[in-house]
Amino acid sequence: QGLFAESGGGSVQAGESLRLSCAASGHDYCVGWFRRRAEGREGVATLDNVGNTKYADSVKGRFAISRDNGDGTLHLQMNNLKPEDSGVYICAAAVIGGACARMREIYFAYWGEGTLVNVSS
């Protein structure tokens, strides 16, 4: 069972948008989104405690990671979705220095169960 609860996934057509949310309060140092596909798990976007963001090349300009200041909820706004964006999106948190910049799952200790995104052409 995952530590975080993600929501917002669903089935959409290519070109549409989705907004994912993750209740990640209490984890402030580095948080991010990964996605699990047949090929494995890959980093999508990270956000550190001073506001620096990092995105996978495949989502730059289309996805935006953000956080609510009030309750710490983490979001991933996904626009102009493509079929290759399909997968299980998982919220994660890290406490190791440099984790957000590296955006590799090995540096993230806390994980959610994920929410499924399916984009059809």
Side-chain angles (χ1 to χ4, degrees):
Q1 186 173 358
L3 181 63
F4 306 122
E6 300 96 336
S7 62
S11 294
V12 296
Q13 297 284 325
E16 294 184 339
S17 299
L18 283 173
R19 180 176 169 86
L20 306 183
S21 298
C22 170
S25 62
H27 293 269
D28 300 326
Y29 182 69
C30 168
V31 288
W33 290 94
F34 288 74
R35 64 186 175 196
R36 187 175 67 241
R37 301 190 293 184
E39 301 82 15
R41 194 157 56 182
E42 61 178 353
V44 176
T46 60
L47 172 66
D48 70 14
N49 59 334
V50 294
N52 294 314
T53 58
K54 182 179 176 70
Y55 296 94
D57 289 342
S58 61
V59 307
K60 284 180 181 177
R62 299 187 298 119
F63 289 15
I65 187 171
S66 63
R67 190 157 202 180
D68 289 340
N69 291 328
D71 62 7
T73 300
L74 183 67
H75 299 286
L76 184 67
Q77 178 66 42
M78 305 188 296
N79 299 326
N80 190 22
L81 282 160
K82 303 176 180 180
E84 53 265 40
D85 293 321
S86 297
V88 177
Y89 282 71
I90 309 167
C91 177
V95 296
I96 296 175
C100 269
R102 292 179 174 87
M103 201 168 65
R104 292 181 61 192
E105 64 175 300
I106 191 173
Y107 298 113
F108 287 75
Y110 305 98
W111 295 86
E113 288 192 345
T115 184
L116 180 62
V117 172
N118 182 49
V119 185
S120 56
S121 57

